[in-house]
Amino acid sequence: MRFPSLTVLPTSRSVIEAWMGYNRNPRIGDGELFDMENLSSDRFPVLAPRKPRGVYAAPAGCTGLIAKDTLCYTDGNCFVMDGYRLDMGLDSREKSLVSMGAYVIILPDKKYVNTADLTDWGNIEVSFVSTQTVSFTLCTLDGAPVSPDYSQPETPESPADGALWLDTGSAPAALRQWSESTGLWAAVPTTYVKITSANLGKAFEVGDGVSISGLTGTLLDAETGVEIQNPGLGELEGSFVIQARGDDYIVVIGLLESPAAINSPVTVERRMPNMDFVIESENRLWGCRYGLSAGGQVVNEIYASKLGDFKNWNCFQGVSTDSYVVSLGTDGAFTGAVNHLGFPLFFKENCIHKVYGSYPAAYQTQTVNCRGVQRGSEKSLAAVGEVLYYKSSSGVCAYDGSLPREVSAPLGDTPYHSATAGGLGNKYYISMADPQGVYHLFVFDTARGLWHREDNTRAGLWCRARNELYFLDCADGKIKTVLGTGEKAEETVNWMAQTGCLGLSSPDSKYISRLNLRLRMDPGAKLTVYIDYDSEDRWTPVCTLECGTLRSFTVPVRLRRCGHFRLRLEGRGDVQLYSIVKTLENGSDTFHSLGQALGGEKA
């Protein structure tokens, strides 16, 4: 019997040898992964899992992280540094910790601590309320009393050289001094008032900007104790800068029509504005506020502290070290702030405010209308190299100082929110929630432009210190490390990689008949290969490998005939996948020849 001969068509092969990371879009490349868990680009182009994480500390209730010479954090009412706990009476709210020199400023508590000397700590705001009579007298800069002639508004006759006269006939009143050489009463350029009450000066320092209030009570003559009319004390209500101080007095710039005293409570306080976000830049603290101020006024402002002095926000003397405040015209709440390349940046959802200049008189605020930080994602701001990354309403953006550009197209169209982030080396780590409230930890390799998904970690806080990236794991409250320093958080890493649909791009009815996986496994590692044919969502295991010694494998996987398929690899431990070789066969021509030989129709 003679049998028909069938033409054996040649096969072809293609290789996936570079793994291009996570891509959640409907159509992806062969080397990209539609889903993954705990993979990393550290060994690119090889597909490999991330490093096991470590545990730095397990505080009872961590509320803030900051890097100084070592990692510091707030735990309950304490500030913790190198295991030393300093009870500062902090409350339980989440903290914003800002570094300025050796100091850490703790907000919203408005406290500070010197990390070089932990005995130096206290409150930024100070308030003194008198319980005894408060006296007001004219004085010199050093607090020495001055006794001008208060008796008459007209020019005194026959004054001695250097005599002082309070000219109440002029508007405003002025303190004048007689000069024998010129024969003129010259106005004293700066006059000072000494405010005296027990322990008043102990709470303040020279140069402090303070507000004085409560000067509307019963007024007494400082010498006789007789009740008098207001001798100009109303001009001492408001903001002043302390020029000199002692334990029981302060000296401010001002003028009195006569010495006086007041027996009702007088308040002297140093205040810090209520601010939404606070940063440090050029030896100043900077902050912003949209809403009600501490005084109850509606504000939309940017603030800067006095140069080198985070305690003072109300010093306005016309000098380069002054505090600074500016009102803005843009609408909407602030959504974040950061110091980038030496410039303070303040974000709203639809714009960026950038402050230029080196001292208050030269400060200018430039507004750029662009994608800003998403509301609720203020902690997503993190610099990697010289580029700033953050979560906007539409995706993750990279900002180099000009305009932001989106870099998160591989994450698909899922509207993530509530993002927090940190940067280490060339990588940007971001933890954010999907619409169902499930958190995902993604890593963006900025040097290679690759995204990877690690797991469902919800990181509340991030901090980079000493070549390690720390984060607060909200699941167990522990401070963990990305690179695994400290105690081990996990012995091995369980990981998964899932491809997109393979075989859709094969022309002329070609199909993939065979796969060869080239990989390497460390001792104790395990790998299982699953296949889903024609998007049936049924993952069929095709092989499992376990390794007791360090070995390399070539794993042949035989496929059934299908239009397309998806591949899933699930592993435990360190497995490195170098390549997948796909063998393609031409199905239509083969089956057509077979049908003709058997007298049938075209297959």
Side-chain angles (χ1 to χ4, degrees):
M1 176 180 283
R2 300 180 64 185
F3 293 96
S5 61
L6 299 178
T7 303
V8 179
L9 298 177
T11 61
S12 61
R13 305 206 309 176
S14 64
V15 182
I16 303 174
E17 56 184 355
W19 298 98
M20 305 306 295
Y22 184 86
N23 192 335
R24 197 67 175 179
N25 290 293
R27 191 75 173 94
I28 65 175
D30 283 354
E32 296 176 318
L33 298 170
F34 185 77
D35 197 6
M36 68 168 66
E37 184 172 354
N38 288 327
L39 296 183
S40 169
S41 64
D42 288 344
R43 287 171 277 188
F44 177 83
V46 177
L47 186 147
R50 63 166 173 82
K51 297 178 180 178
R53 297 171 185 153
V55 175
Y56 174 78
C62 179
T63 53
L65 296 175
I66 192 170
K68 298 297 288 183
D69 292 336
T70 184
L71 183 72
C72 306
Y73 60 93
T74 51
D75 181 13
N77 56 3
C78 296
F79 178 82
V80 183
M81 178 177 176
D82 272 341
Y84 180 82
R85 301 177 63 87
L86 176 64
D87 190 344
M88 298 180 62
L90 305 176
D91 60 32
S92 59
R93 291 175 292 177
E94 188 172 285
K95 309 302 178 194
S96 173
L97 306 184
V98 185
S99 175
M100 184 170 173
Y103 288 91
V104 172
I105 292 82
I106 304 174
L107 302 168
D109 300 67
K110 298 182 180 179
K111 295 177 181 287
Y112 68 91
V113 59
N114 186 346
T115 57
D117 178 10
L118 292 179
T119 63
D120 178 13
W121 65 274
N123 296 308
I124 294 176
E125 292 188 331
V126 175
S127 180
F128 171 86
V129 180
S130 64
T131 57
Q132 302 179 22
T133 299
V134 182
S135 62
F136 302 83
T137 57
L138 286 174
C139 67
T140 61
L141 177 59
D142 59 2
V146 171
S147 300
D149 186 349
Y150 294 101
S151 60
Q152 52 187 329
E154 302 297 331
T155 304
E157 297 181 359
S158 303
D161 187 42
L164 295 173
W165 166 52
L166 183 64
D167 182 4
T168 57
S170 63
L175 183 65
R176 304 185 185 279
Q177 187 173 36
W178 176 258
S179 173
E180 191 73 38
S181 60
T182 62
L184 297 173
W185 287 97
V188 177
T190 305
T191 58
Y192 302 93
V193 175
K194 183 178 184 179
I195 306 173
T196 304
S197 184
N199 300 317
L200 168 59
K202 290 182 178 180
F204 304 100
E205 299 293 335
V206 174
D208 280 356
V210 298
S211 61
I212 302 174
S213 59
L215 305 184
T216 56
T218 302
L219 303 178
L220 307 176
D221 184 276
E223 297 179 355
T224 65
V226 178
E227 184 174 341
I228 60 174
Q229 297 298 317
N230 192 331
L233 284 185
E235 296 182 2
L236 292 177
E237 285 259 10
S239 297
F240 297 86
V241 177
I242 296 176
Q243 308 296 317
R245 59 164 290 278
D247 286 350
D248 299 322
Y249 71 89
I250 60 173
V251 175
V252 299
I253 295 175
L255 185 64
L256 291 175
E257 295 181 9
S258 66
I262 188 169
N263 58 9
S264 59
V266 174
T267 300
V268 181
E269 54 187 352
R270 183 183 67 219
R271 304 282 294 179
M272 181 181 190
N274 289 338
M275 292 176 283
D276 301 323
F277 305 101
V278 179
I279 59 172
E280 185 277 335
S281 179
E282 299 298 319
N283 203 23
R284 296 177 189 265
L285 286 191
W286 291 79
C288 56
R289 179 67 173 175
Y290 182 89
L292 293 179
S293 67
Q297 297 86 16
V298 177
V299 297
N300 183 15
E301 296 176 332
I302 292 175
Y303 309 92
S305 71
K306 188 177 178 181
L307 181 66
D309 187 354
F310 56 83
K311 299 178 183 178
N312 280 287
W313 299 79
N314 296 289
C315 296
F316 305 103
Q317 302 182 97
V319 296
S320 62
T321 59
D322 272 351
S323 309
Y324 176 73
V325 60
V326 63
S327 295
L328 303 175
T330 57
D331 192 23
F334 289 98
T335 57
V338 71
N339 175 13
H340 182 235
L341 302 179
F343 296 99
L345 302 181
F346 299 93
F347 292 84
K348 295 186 176 183
E349 280 201 318
N350 57 358
C351 68
I352 301 174
H353 296 287
K354 187 174 185 178
V355 181
Y356 295 88
S358 56
Y359 57 95
Y363 285 148
Q364 295 182 1
T365 303
Q366 180 191 55
T367 302
V368 180
N369 293 318
C370 61
R371 286 172 292 183
V373 174
Q374 181 184 39
R375 184 176 295 192
S377 295
E378 64 277 357
K379 296 176 187 174
S380 66
L381 287 158
V384 180
E386 291 72 39
V387 179
L388 180 68
Y389 293 86
Y390 60 87
K391 175 68 173 66
S392 70
S393 297
S394 61
V396 178
C397 289
Y399 176 75
D400 60 3
S402 55
L403 287 174
R405 56 184 175 85
E406 188 171 323
V407 296
S408 59
L411 301 186
D413 57 1
T414 302
Y416 293 101
H417 61 88
S418 303
T420 66
L424 180 66
N426 290 322
K427 291 187 177 182
Y428 174 71
Y429 294 76
I430 181 168
S431 172
M432 49 189 175
D434 62 23
Q436 289 72 42
V438 178
Y439 278 81
H440 303 264
L441 176 57
F442 296 100
V443 183
F444 180 51
D445 188 327
T446 63
R448 300 184 176 101
L450 302 179
W451 282 93
H452 286 77
R453 180 186 177 276
E454 292 199 350
D455 54 20
N456 298 111
T457 295
R458 179 183 178 183
L461 302 165
W462 294 86
C463 184
R464 178 176 58 197
R466 289 187 176 179
N467 298 318
E468 178 62 275
L469 184 61
Y470 301 84
F471 67 92
L472 176 65
D473 191 337
C474 294
D476 55 17
K478 295 180 180 180
I479 301 174
K480 296 183 178 178
T481 59
V482 166
L483 300 183
T485 58
E487 298 180 3
K488 286 185 178 180
E490 49 196 357
E491 293 295 332
T492 58
V493 175
N494 295 321
W495 58 271
M496 181 271 290
Q498 178 182 316
T499 68
C501 293
L502 301 176
L504 290 177
S505 60
S506 301
D508 302 326
S509 298
K510 289 183 179 181
Y511 71 98
I512 301 173
S513 63
R514 184 185 182 91
L515 298 176
N516 278 62
L517 281 64
R518 183 64 177 170
L519 53 89
R520 173 177 176 150
M521 300 178 67
D522 278 3
K526 179 180 179 180
L527 172 67
T528 303
V529 181
Y530 298 85
I531 294 179
D532 171 44
Y533 295 100
D534 293 327
S535 299
E536 295 176 347
D537 287 328
R538 291 184 300 186
W539 293 98
T540 304
V542 294
C543 69
T544 298
L545 298 175
E546 292 191 58
C547 185
T549 59
L550 182 63
R551 290 186 58 189
S552 296
F553 294 88
T554 298
V555 183
V557 179
R558 194 73 178 177
L559 303 178
R560 81 181 193 197
R561 178 75 180 271
C562 63
H564 64 273
F565 66 94
R566 293 181 295 167
L567 188 67
R568 176 185 287 178
L569 309 177
E570 294 185 2
R572 182 192 67 228
D574 194 16
V575 178
Q576 302 173 47
L577 178 62
Y578 290 90
S579 63
I580 293 181
V581 180
K582 301 181 294 181
T583 301
L584 286 80
E585 295 184 4
N586 192 320
S588 293
D589 289 342
T590 302
F591 276 83
H592 176 53
S593 301
L594 178 61
Q596 286 181 326
L598 298 177
E601 297 180 355
K602 181 177 178 180

